[in-house]
Amino acid sequence: MEEKYKIGQYEFDTYEEYLDGLDDVKKIKGIIHEVDIYDEDASVRLYKLLRNNKITFKTKVGNGFFVYVSDIVANHSHELSLTQYTQQLENPQNSKGRIVAGVLLIIVAAVCAITFAVQKHRSDVNTQNLTELQEEHATAVSQYADSYVSPFEQEQEATEEETTEETTEETTEETTEETTEEIDPATLTILPEFESIYEQNNDLVGWLEIDGTDINYPVMQIVGDNSYYLKHSFEKTKDNNGSLFLDGRNDFVNRDTNLIIYGHNMRSGAMFGTLKNYLEESYYKEHKELTFDTIYEKATYKIVGVGLSEVSYQDDSGFRYYDFLDAQDEDEFNKIVKKLNKLSVYGDLNISYGDQLVTLSTCNSYVEDGRLFVIAKRE
């Protein structure tokens, strides 16, 4: 069951929206502390400030407060006789209503504070676990740095030997189609630096690191599922940062043309929170190299482009960069690249048919449902 974030009667889909809601609660508490919103003149002044966007909120919590103030002003606007008005002010039930409203606001604030504390504790634990995992990975990489041999090379050598032994002296037909035998992951050996980490979570498919940045994370994958690691840590605990994960449609062993790695654009800078820095050309030029080692093979990539796009829904005919996983032939590849070039921030991408690509994808707020992607090709 997906976790929901609540403030009173309001539900939020993401932790970031929930934090914005807490900001609105804090602002509302400040207003109530400074202004008697039940005073006729004060409520009218407050209503005008809200209506003219002199005071603004980020979420539906603030919108609810605006509706509440509007109701207060509307009630005041009825023509009341002095006697009626006095009776209304002196009505114990009315005073009770004010007290109840104030108590409810205090309860909401208290619940928010407790919830935030729980979330903060969980976040701190997940952050500590991730730091320990990064240290474990760095130590293992250093330990086995000089002993790396690609298992794909071993597999290729074995296949060539078998092919040579099975070749007959006489060939009566020429094969016009090239056939590539698929590699069975069961025949491959996990790199020693990943053995211990893989034992902890066998959804691990590799590790992504970009020199000179904070991006240094395990990459997960559940085949056919692009939702689980949006809200789960490496330890499979609830985590608003989520994890970096490979598109559930990608095959990283029998290599697709383009491997897509997703991560949240966190305000803290975690996960792909710093990927937006690539929109600054100087940063883009200074941080061109990344490594994406799968659990079976090491590989370095050169970043060749940055693009901006937005989510296209089922009834849209727009180009979806996140659906570019493979190209069946050169003609299809060139058509896709042409569309990618239109989304590129820094001109045409320096890629060609046969290149192995990695695309890093995250949210970006330049438009509603905006996306930022960084493309790199294997060196």
Side-chain angles (χ1 to χ4, degrees), residues 155-258:
E155 179 72 19
Q156 182 64 30
E157 288 173 5
T159 302
E160 288 174 357
E161 288 175 6
E162 290 172 8
T163 302
T164 301
E165 291 173 1
E166 294 173 1
T167 302
T168 59
E169 294 181 0
E170 294 182 6
T171 305
T172 56
E173 295 180 3
E174 290 186 2
T175 304
T176 56
E177 293 184 1
E178 291 185 6
T179 58
T180 304
E181 187 176 343
E182 285 203 352
I183 298 171
D184 181 358
T187 66
L188 300 175
T189 302
I190 293 175
L191 298 180
E193 58 256 43
F194 287 121
E195 288 177 354
S196 173
I197 300 175
Y198 185 78
E199 286 177 3
Q200 298 171 49
N201 186 341
N202 57 19
D203 289 337
L204 178 76
V205 296
W207 197 283
L208 177 71
E209 185 171 1
I210 303 180
D211 286 345
T213 77
D214 293 332
I215 296 174
N216 177 28
Y217 299 109
V219 178
M220 319 305 290
Q221 185 190 44
I222 298 177
V223 175
D225 183 352
N226 277 352
S227 63
Y228 182 82
Y229 281 107
L230 281 171
K231 293 185 177 180
H232 288 84
S233 68
F234 175 85
E235 289 79 16
K236 296 187 176 182
T237 58
K238 287 282 188 177
D239 188 349
N240 297 299
N241 288 335
S243 301
L244 299 190
F245 62 94
L246 183 66
D247 194 299
R249 300 166 294 174
N250 266 140
D251 184 345
F252 70 98
V253 176
N254 296 285
R255 173 66 193 249
D256 289 329
T257 303
N258 184 34

Side-chain angles (χ1 to χ4, degrees), residues 299-318:
T300 60
Y301 295 79
K302 181 180 180 181
I303 294 173
V304 294
V306 179
L308 289 170
S309 183
E310 54 190 289
V311 171
S312 294
Y313 296 97
Q314 282 189 330
D315 56 348
D316 294 336
S317 58

Side-chain angles (χ1 to χ4, degrees), residues 37 58 114 199 283:
I37 63 174
K58 301 175 183 177
I114 293 169
E199 286 177 3
Y283 188 93

